Amino acid sequence: MHLAYPAVLAVLLFCVGVYGVLARRNAILVLMSVELMLNAVNLNLVAFDVWLSRAAEETLHSGQALTLFTIAIAAAEIGIGLAIVLAVYRNRGTSDIDRLRDTAEGHESPTADDGDAPTPDTLTTGTSTTDGTEKAEATA
């Protein structure tokens, strides 16, 4: 078997995984797409290990050993990732990534970096007190 067949399959799997990460909105589907990309890397590791072992007299099978480590890391990653997704789903009620990003950005105050700008919910004018803080008075 030629090296091109598993390499092309790995490229296709990796491209499907990248598309899934970039286009999907559900966090679980994004995690599944990351797993597809890791499996494409594993396929390349094993294919190149077999291809290189035919050329060498001594075979160490280091590609297959690295694949086992990658599978173990992927299992830990998916366990932690699913735990985070479930915790976020319980707190926010959704696993839609766009809505979670908008929610996270919504917590930021629209004030300037120095923190002296007034909040938009009240119309105030500031008068200084003796201790240096600003006292708000309603103008409406």
Side-chain angles (χ1 to χ4, degrees):
M1 183 169 76
H2 296 284
L3 181 62
Y5 298 132
V8 168
L9 181 62
V11 165
L12 290 175
L13 278 175
F14 196 83
C15 289
V16 168
V18 168
Y19 173 74
V21 166
L22 296 177
R24 297 294 176 182
R25 295 184 179 176
N26 191 347
I28 295 183
L29 292 177
V30 170
L31 287 174
M32 288 173 57
S33 299
V34 170
E35 290 295 320
L36 270 177
M37 292 190 296
L38 287 173
N39 285 331
V41 171
N42 288 340
L43 181 61
N44 267 336
L45 284 172
V46 171
F48 278 99
D49 182 49
V50 169
W51 183 65
L52 290 174
S53 69
R54 289 181 184 166
E57 293 179 8
E58 284 189 29
T59 57
L60 296 176
H61 298 294
S62 58
Q64 294 175 11
L66 283 174
T67 299
L68 289 176
F69 286 119
T70 307
I71 289 171
I73 290 171
E77 174 258 334
I78 200 70
I80 292 171
L82 281 176
I84 291 171
V85 167
L86 286 175
V88 167
Y89 181 77
R90 286 182 185 167
N91 288 335
R92 304 274 172 99
T94 184
S95 63
D96 187 11
I97 294 174
D98 290 336
R99 291 176 74 191
L100 293 176
R101 185 183 62 226
D102 293 341
T103 306
E105 290 173 356
H107 288 301
E108 296 176 2
S109 63
T111 61
D113 290 334
D114 58 356
D116 292 333
T119 58
D121 58 333
T122 60
L123 297 173
T124 60
T125 58
T127 57
S128 296
T129 60
T130 57
D131 60 355
T133 60
E134 192 167 304
K135 181 179 167 184
E137 296 175 353
T139 58

